[in-house]
Every structure is written in C-alpha cells, then in structure tokens.
Amino acid sequence: MEDLWMVFCGESGNLDIGEKLSSSGSGSGSGLVFQPNFIRAAEEKPDRLTFEKLVSGVVSGVYMAFSGFNHKPSREASSKNSFAATEQYCYCYVLTRYINMNGSYGSDLYAPLNGEANGTTKTDSAVKGKEKTLEDEDIPKLREEDRAESCYIEFLEQLNKHKQAGSSQLSLLWIIGKQVLSMKVMYWPLTLFFSKNLESLSQRQWYFRSRLIGLKVKSLLTAAIYKKQLRLSSLGRLMHSGGEIMNYVTVDAYRIGEFPFWFHQTWTTSLQLCISLVILYRAMGLATFAALMVIIITVLCNAPLAKLQHKFQSKLMVAQDERLKACNEALVNMKVLKLYAWETHFKNAIENLREVEYKWLSSVQMRRAYNGFLFWSSPVLVSSATFGACYFMKIPLHANNVFTFVATLRLVQDPIRSIPDVIGVVIQAKVAFARIVKFLDAPELQSRNVQQRHDTGSVNHSVLIKSADFSWEENSSRPTLRNVSLKMVPGEKVAVCGEVGSGKSTLLAAILGEVSHTKGTIQVHGRIAYVSQTAWIQTGTIQENILFGSEMDRQRYQDTLERCSLVKDLELLPYGDLTEIGERGVNLSGGQKQRIQLARALYQNADIYLLDDPFSAVDAQTATSLFNEYITGALSGKTVLLVTHQVDFLPAFDSVMLMSNGEILQAAPYHQLLSSSQEFQDLVNAHKETAGSERLPEANAMQRQGSSAGEIEKSHVEKQHKTSQGDQLIKQEEKEVGDTGFKPYIEYLNQNKGYLYFALASFGHLLFVTGQILQNSWMAANVDDPHVSPLRLIVVYLSIGVTSVLFVLCRSIFTVVLGLESSKSLFSQLLNSLFRAPMSFYDSTPLGRILSRVASDLSIVDLDVPFSLIFAVGATTNAYSNMGVLAFVTWQVLFVSIPMVYLAIRLQRYYFASAKELMRINGTTKSLVANHLAESVAGALTIRAFAGEDRFFEKNLHLIDINASPFFHSFAANEWLIQRLETFSATVLASAALCVVLLPPGTFSSGFIGMALSYGLSLNMSLVMSIQNQCMAANYIISVERLNQYMHIPSEAPEVVEDNRPPSNWPAVGKVDICDLQVLRKCQLHQAVQEKEQGLDSLVVEDGSNWSMGQRQLFCLGRALLRRSRILVLDEATASIDNTTDLILQKTIRTEFSDCTVITVAHRIPTVMDCTMVLAISDGKLVEFDEPRNLMKTEGSLFGQLIPHWLGSSGKEFQGQTGRKMYSVATMDTVEMRRKIGKGN
C-alpha cells in the first residue's frame, strides 16, 4: 500500500497538498514532511472506523471519558410501520441513512492528497508554499465517492427506498442519534502521555470524519436544491423567489453542513457528565446529588431559552429571505434604478428590511448570550452547591477529594461551555432543514403536461392539442387558455398574433409543458428549439451561447452565423465569437441578444421551432433579412410556430392564428382570415395606419452583406489568437493574497466603537479566568488549614465564583453588541458602495459574486464572527492560564513548555499561511456556484425547452466539487495542526507530572500539587479549544475580507451637487390628489387590472413574470406618465406591443408629453417619423443627425434606406408633426446610445 503524505513547506508560505510518495519514502521537495497518524489509521482499517473520540484524563492518570461510532456500511431498509411518513421525516431519515452509510472509508481516504490534481499526477516535487500563492489549480480533486454526484445519487436511492417503505421517524435528533452512534469502549491507558496521545488521535478522527460527512451533506443538498429549481412549476416559483433559492444554497445548506461536526457534542457531553458524576460520587459521596440537581435546573432553565431561540431563528431566516430578495431585484435592475435616480429609494427600502432583520438577529444573539452565561456559570454553581452540601452533610474536605472533584469538573467544563454553541447550531440546522424540505416539496412541472416523443416517423403531426384548457395557477376558476385546439403537421409554418395579454406566449409555454392543462390532451412529436421573448444569455463567450453544449461543426456554425445576420456584429466585437458576454448580455444590444438566441435555436437542428416575437428587437432591414434567411430559408423543412406583431410577414405563413383573451378566435391562411375576421382586419388596418401606407409589403429576399465562409474562418482564427493576449469584460474574481495579518480583524473592529466592545468583552473574560484561578488557589491554600473553618472556606470560594460569573455575563452582552454594531456598519458601507458603483462594475461583475457576499458572507459576519473572535481570545487565555498554573507549581516544566510553545507558534504559521489561501479560494469558488444558480433560475424555461437539464446539472455538480475541495483540505490541515499541538501539550503534562514526582516532600502542599495536576490534565482540552477557535475565527474573518472588497468600489459622480441645490424651504407647499386613475386607461392596462380579483393590489412577482412582456412594457409607460419628467427616454418601449395598442400609445405620448424633450430609441420607423431630429447610428458610429424629411431626401442616407421597409417600395414621404422637441435614434444597433445614457453622458 502506498503511503499518503502531506507536505507543509515554508514559514510564510502556503500549503501544497498534492504529493504522492511511494512506500519507500522517495520523492523530492524540501520542508517539513509528515504522515498524519489518523490517515494511516484509516488506511489500515478501511472498512470500519474503530473509534472516533476519547476523552482522557481525570486525577492520577484515570481515563474518564470515551466515545466513538461504528461506520460499518448497511443497506438494509428501515423497519416498516403502519404510520404514513411525512415528507420532512422522509428527507430527514434519508439524510441520516446517508450519513450512516458513508462512515466507512477505504484505503484511498486521502486520495485528494495524493497529487492527482486536475487530472495530472505530481510525483516529483511539491509546489512550495513560500515560493507561490495557492491557486485554484493547486487544489486536488475530491475522491469519487466524496463528489456531489455520488452523494446526490445515493441520497436519491435512499429517498426512493424510504418512500416505498412508508416508514416514519420521530425527530431529526432521534433519527441521527439512533443511526450514527455506536459506542465502543477502549481499554484504560496506562500513562498520561500515551492516554493523551490516544485521545488526540481518536478525537482528530472524530472531527475529521464529522467534517467530511458535513461537507458531503452540504454538497448533496446543494445539488438537490439546484435540481429542484430546474423542475419548479409556476406556482412553485411564486412560492420561492430566486433570492430565496439563493439563500437555501448559500446559507441553509451551509448551516446543515455544519451540523454533523457539532452533533456528537449532544451525546458525548451527556456521557462525560454521567461518568464524571460517578467519579464525583466516589470522591464526595451523597453531596454529588447537589451537583446533579444544579445540572438538572440548568437544563430546565435552558429549555424555554432554546424554544425562543428556535422561534427567533425562524423569523431571522424569513427576514433574511425578504432582504436578499430585495437586494437581488435591485442589483439585477440597477441600470433602471440609476436612470430613474431611484437609488436612494430602493436603498432605503433594503435598509428598512435590514432593520427588521437586525431585530431578529439581536434576539437570536441575546438568547445565545444568555445560554452562554447559563452554561459558563454552571461549573461554578455545581462546585459551590457540592461543597455546600458537604458542609451540611458533614463530609470532610481534603486535598485529595477536593481536587479530584476540581480536576473532574475542569475536564468537562469546556464541553459544557460549548453546549450553547451546540444548541445554536442544532436550532439553525433544524430551521434550515425545514426550509429546504419545504422547498423540495414545492410543486413541480408534471411530465403529464405534455406527451412528448422524439420519434416523428410514425405520426402525421408535430403538435396536436385537442380542446385543452391551460392554467398557470392550480384550481383556478378561469383558465389562462380556454378550449384550445391546434394541429401542426411536419414542415408547417403557423403565425400567432393578437393584442397584448391575449395568451400568445402562454400557448408556447403550454406546448413546452410549462403550463398545466386542466382539460383535453396535448401531444408533441420531435425535438424542440425555443426562442424566448426576453433574451436569456449566459455568462461566457458568444460561441458557447450558440453551441449550447453541442459539438462544434464548423460549416454548420458558419452557416448559422450568416443566417442570423451575426457576421458583421462579430467583426465589430473585439474578440469575435470568443468575446466574453457579460451577465444577461449587458455588453450586447437587444437585437444582438435576440439574434444569438435565434442562432442557438438554429444550431440545435431541432424538429419544432417555437419563436416568441424574435423580430421585435431588430430593425426592419434585419427583420426582413432574418425572415427570408431564417424562417423561409433555414427552417424551410421545419415545423415553426411564430408569435409576432409584424403583420408584413403573415402572408408567407401556411396559417395565421388570431388570439384574444385566452382563446383562439380563428385560424386560417392570411387572405381567408382577412376576409372573414373583423378583429384581424382591425389589426391589419392599425398597422397600415402606423406605417402610413396602404400596401402590405411582401417578404422579399434581401442581399446579405457580410463576409464569406473563408473570411469568417480567418477572422475566427485571428480573434482566437487575440483573446489569449487581451482582457475580456468578465475578470477573474479578486481575492486577497498572502498573509494580511490583522488587517481584516482591524477592519471589523474599526466599526462603530468595535475596539471598545471587544476590549470590554476580552477584559471581562480575563477577569473571569483570574477569578477561577483565585477561587482554586484559595481552596488549594486553605483546604487542609485547620485554622480556616469549612464554612469560611466555602463562603469565600462561593463569593469569588459568583463574582467571576458576573464578568461572563458582561462578556456575553458586549460580544452581542460588538457583533450587531459591526454588522450594521459593514452592511451600510457595502450597500452604499454597491448603489454608488458605476454601471461598468455591474457589466463586468457576475451577480453571483455580489449575492454570495450579501447572503452567505454577511450571514457569517452577523452570526459567527463576533463570538468566534471572543471565544478565540477566551480559549487562548484559558490555555495559557492552565500552562501558567502548571509552571507556577513546577517551574522546571518551563524548560519543556517554552520550546513547545515556540514550536507550536512556528507550526501555526505554517498552517495559517496555507489555510487562509484555501478559505479564500473557497470563497471565490462559492461565487461560481451562486452565479451558476442565479443564471439557471433566470433561464430555467430555456434550459428545459432545449432539454439541457442534465448538462446544466452536471456543470453544477462540477462547480460544487470545485468549491468543496479547498474546504476539505482546509479542515484536513486543521486536524493535522491540532494533532501535533496536542502532542506538545501531552509532553508538557508528562513533564509536569514527572517534576511533581521528583519534587522533595514539603516543597508544595498537596492542595497546590492537586491544583497543578487538575489544570495540567485539562491542558489538552483547552489547547484544542484554543486552536479550534483561532482557526474558526481565521476562516470566518475571510468573509469580512470579501465584504471589504466591495465596500470600496470606485464611485460614480456625486448624487447631490451642493452648489446646485434648490432652496432649503423647497417645496413650500405639497399636495397630491388622486381623483381617478386615468393612467391605467392611457397606458391600456385598465381592463387587464380590472380582471384581476385584487385590482391594483394584485401581485407582481419577481421580474414581473406573471404578466406578459407587453403588459410589463405598459407598466413602465404608466410609470413614466405618473412621473411627468421633463426628459423622457423611450428605449424600445413598445417593441413587444401589437400595432393597435402601439397606435393608441403613440397618440398618448404625443399628447401627454407635448411639452417634454423625448428621446426615442426604436426600430419601428413610424414611431419616430414625427420627431424633430433623427440621429442615425451604424456600427457604433454616429452617421447622421438631421430632420427626418431632410434625411429622406438625402441620397444614400441610412435613415432613408430603412424607410422603404416600412413605407413601401415607392418611398412615399411621411408628413409628420415636427413641432415638438423629439429626437429619434434610428439604428441597426442601439447599444451605444443606451450605454451613453446609462453613464449620464
């Protein structure tokens, strides 16, 4: 068997985890090389974990506590019972079974450490930490069985078995307790040194395996949440917004992943207490029952606090969801907020939600503080009650029984003090678990919605709908679509038209299986390609967006670019089709995004094409070219269902379907429908009126302007070479590098008198430790003194103890205040920075990076950082005080302890240099998971339409593993460090014991010797707690680092110019009268709102997805009407609206904004014909700027070339009104104008 090695190199360097050395020990590389014992232990017993935890040490070498569990695999189903299992217990039980079954590890336990990183094997040398900073590629991959895919598959298997078995479990803790725990008693160690080392080995095994289980549980839950959101129905999305789903992954799954590490404290502490009570009974007799009563009272007092903490934790998570939802909406729509100057309003709204969150955060943290006070004071109360009982029961107090009692109590006081943290983690996990289970139980899309087959040879239809009703909402009294019948044969072209909100997009969604049908049947035969009305673009290159997971076929790819009129666009882009597209396509125009969507659909070579108004975002010339080249050319043999408002193209279709109010009014060829349907005639006449011409243009083929296939190929090669030398829009996420020292701690403590609260909390703990030492010193000095009465001995002891406990209360309160004040300040600075950041920041920063900070990092700063800082200081103080007491009695031990402390500090430096880099990489890879989730939530409909769920899920699993790997190596290195430090402390303890034996009689009283040994025996435990808390604090403080990165974003121009402000008393008078809401009628929303049961109070969900695209545009227009600004910018404001509604809206705009300056960005030429001036843009350059009639007369005018596509071949002049201050941007690419407006130019 090959030996597995870990290499730590360099004092200030970083960890290279990746060396696999042969059994002969050969290999290169310098530094401190070691083989962790707990790794070998796992290798030598691959099928069974012998033990997990040993707690050794009571007086005179007694090994008082032990723990462990058996991880022998078992795949037996749980016993059945007659009760029906609820879903929550089902998930709970499966999760437990998963934990139980993954407790055994084979000989490849440390496969991630053997050098097989990123598919390569490093067998020659290690990358020295002090020579380079750790990068992502330096982190080895996880073992196969530890990866998210394996965990998720096993989870599903157990879930299905449990559902079939129909068994029910009582509770989360009972289930996990029953499945995970399996005790094995170890033999009593013979010496202090070996027992302490044995304790260290077994405890490291326990902690390591618990962390690994937690990591795997977090991975499988993240995978399950991602998979679920891909299947959510419309009702499910109403129940769980994108922000909430992000919270489930970044916060809730993390909290549950932390639970296995703390879980064993719930039973090991109880076991230790029971064994301690037995020892105490042997030492103190019946007085032990007094100690038992205090423990029972403490537990009873904790019960209501725990109940309240659970309630407040639930409220906190709900408040966190609301705040994150608001943050998500504001960040996604930041450009709109800046154009409207709404930053202050939305920032205040988020701050108000944060205030509610602070309320519950304060409640949770205060209950945690009270719990801490209760359990930190319990050892003092236990000792006082026991000694008091001894006095009343006439039990003599001597050094032997007193310090047997003190030593035993000191060994269990650290586990007792951790109980509040355990309770907090259990409550957080329970709340998070309930929230995730509720999400996993949310309604899904039913496969029965559509009978879809990919075979097309045996049927004579592609789409068949028979008398079907469709509804977005379950149990709705009025279906969204009613009595729909449709039959499309292969190769048929059908156009769908109708007014805004008539159900056109819902019909396409019904064919995709997105809408439940309550009546009738629907069948689809063939592969589907779908182009959504709102373009969905992934972060990545244009090429990746077009291929969409398919293999590259160069000829087909080049033909696709030509058919979609993308060749000229790619020539203009800096890196061609390898140009990185920002999130949501921020660096592309609306037309470019839509054409990329069309190219994506065409490249898939599907059988059925569902196109939802794809020409609304392109100019007339491009639309005509696309129709001829794409619809009638490339899709000539395909089944096409096109939703459109372009009446010009309708004659070319086999059939035209007219929809109104959720029903198909009529379907027939164009001329037949025109002669038989008055509604259709009105629609066509509206187009004639807006176009200013009596003719309906034929779809004539346009000469394509662009490059040949050879030129495209040449350009592609050149751009591909160029990308390796230049920078793309999306940069690699920034992270701190190297040892930042105390910088992040100082940043945290600099907030709102943080230094003061931290100093007071630390000083409170110091006084508590001092009080404990004084308390035990008093007892040691006077327990055998006949001149001190037992009553005085006990009263002074009790007085010192009660006084010291009050300092613990002060410490806890100051810690809570520190956390709340620092969180308030950090969040306020972060929010101000984000809202004042320029749009260039949002163009180049994926949303997931920001959301991971305002979700998971902020949650860690809120809940974990303050207590981890104080506990790190407190535990370190405890450890050094233990060593100080030991050295005071046996000063000779300093010859051993000082070198040991020096080595420990050096060893910590080796660890921290690499641990910080690992946690930073963990933070950046966490953003990848969050960003992929955010994109998938936004594009779930498109992903499902192209049957890409499996591919996106595989990518998600890969990102989860990338994120899990640095975390795995971080806690593995943590256990490596603690094991060695515990060896040092065992050496110090053994040396002290040797010194005590060699001391001449009478040097110290037996009381002080007993006190020294009692402190020495707890040295291991205190040292472990010290290092653990320091490591936790170092890991948590990375979140402060990450927040700080976005707290100092270069700001845009000042929001308020002091020299240009209105008088301080302005406005002197203010009055608002709402007599009748005419705006709804003016923007054609009155009827749509009236049909809603709640009217104006009707719900608008995230992204307005429960309203049609046209209705959403009407909302925006209504907003502009209410605002009554002096300058109005209309950026394709009516692109998704039918001609009839557009005609009415244009008249409304001319009337309502007659005295305003209007800038219109539009592709519909009639919309801008009555503007004062027209600005024409082509290829990102300003081409011409003049009055419309002058441009129409100018030979070669770009604007003049666009007009014939709308006004007819005669080029008849349009006599428009020119009295208003209106400017038009007529362009084939409007992105530049929008970017200038967004920047305030």
Side-chain angles (χ1 to χ4, degrees), residues 903-961:
L903 289 175
I905 293 174
R906 295 280 294 179
L907 206 56
Q908 272 187 286
R909 289 181 179 177
Y910 278 100
Y911 163 77
F912 276 124
S914 298
K916 286 183 178 180
E917 294 302 323
L918 287 168
M919 291 309 296
R920 287 167 183 158
I921 294 173
N922 177 255
T924 56
T925 55
K926 179 169 56 180
S927 297
L928 298 178
V929 177
N931 189 57
H932 183 62
L933 175 64
E935 281 194 338
S936 300
V937 170
L941 178 58
T942 300
I943 294 171
R944 290 192 293 265
F946 285 93
E949 298 97 319
D950 291 341
R951 181 170 63 87
F952 274 78
F953 184 59
E954 287 175 6
K955 181 179 179 182
N956 181 66
L957 294 175
H958 175 64
L959 293 176
I960 292 172
D961 290 337

Side-chain angles (χ1 to χ4, degrees), residues 521-697:
T521 60
I522 175 171
Q523 297 179 8
V524 177
H525 295 271
R527 293 174 58 246
I528 293 178
Y530 171 66
V531 175
S532 60
Q533 192 173 16
T534 305
W536 177 68
I537 303 295
Q538 287 182 269
T539 302
T541 65
I542 292 176
Q543 184 182 109
E544 290 169 348
N545 272 273
I546 294 175
L547 295 181
F548 206 59
S550 300
E551 295 293 330
M552 168 62 84
D553 182 330
R554 180 57 61 183
Q555 184 59 43
R556 177 154 61 108
Y557 180 74
Q558 292 170 356
D559 183 63
T560 298
L561 296 180
E562 292 185 9
R563 297 280 190 180
C564 297
S565 304
L566 280 170
V567 174
K568 191 68 177 291
D569 297 87
L570 296 184
E571 290 175 352
L572 295 174
L573 293 172
Y575 305 107
D577 63 346
L578 297 179
T579 299
E580 288 276 357
I581 302 176
E583 194 167 35
R584 302 178 304 281
V586 292
N587 51 338
L588 298 176
S589 70
Q592 288 172 329
K593 287 188 281 189
Q594 200 65 282
R595 280 178 282 146
I596 288 175
Q597 276 208 128
L598 288 168
R600 176 202 297 157
L602 179 59
Y603 191 81
Q604 300 305 310
N605 193 26
D607 303 306
I608 303 170
Y609 282 78
L610 305 178
L611 311 177
D612 195 350
D613 200 13
F615 305 140
S616 62
V618 299
D619 61 274
Q621 182 178 346
T622 306
T624 303
S625 175
L626 285 173
F627 183 81
N628 286 281
E629 293 293 327
Y630 192 95
I631 303 295
T632 62
L635 302 183
S636 58
K638 308 292 185 180
T639 304
V640 178
L641 185 60
L642 171 70
V643 172
T644 185
H645 295 300
Q646 308 278 359
V647 176
D648 300 352
F649 301 136
L650 297 183
F653 283 86
D654 300 319
S655 178
V656 178
M657 185 185 302
L658 180 63
M659 295 191 68
S660 178
N661 199 25
E663 296 181 346
I664 298 177
L665 297 183
Q666 198 170 345
Y670 173 80
H671 294 289
Q672 181 181 339
L673 187 62
L674 187 62
S675 61
S676 61
S677 173
Q678 182 61 45
E679 291 85 355
F680 188 63
Q681 290 177 17
D682 294 340
L683 193 67
V684 173
N685 291 335
H687 173 72
K688 291 180 180 179
E689 187 174 350
T690 56
S693 173
E694 295 300 325
R695 73 119 213 156
L696 287 171

Side-chain angles (χ1 to χ4, degrees), residues 1072-1115:
V1072 177
D1073 289 326
I1074 302 179
C1075 301
D1076 189 9
L1077 236 110
Q1078 294 295 326
V1079 170
L1080 288 178
R1081 291 188 173 87
K1082 290 176 181 178
C1083 66
Q1084 304 301 301
L1085 274 173
H1086 183 72
Q1087 182 179 353
V1089 173
Q1090 269 192 334
E1091 290 176 355
K1092 298 286 185 179
E1093 294 180 1
Q1094 297 179 337
L1096 286 172
D1097 294 326
S1098 298
L1099 183 67
V1100 178
V1101 301
E1102 194 172 25
D1103 295 328
S1105 56
N1106 59 331
W1107 298 79
S1108 74
M1109 186 63 190
Q1111 288 171 330
R1112 282 179 251 174
Q1113 286 193 323
L1114 295 179
F1115 276 128

Side-chain angles (χ1 to χ4, degrees), residues 95 98 148 151-152 155 215-225:
L95 190 59
Y98 172 80
C151 301
Y152 179 71
F155 171 74
L215 173 66
K216 296 170 77 172
V217 169
K218 177 191 172 186
S219 295
L220 74 86
L221 286 176
T222 303
I225 293 168

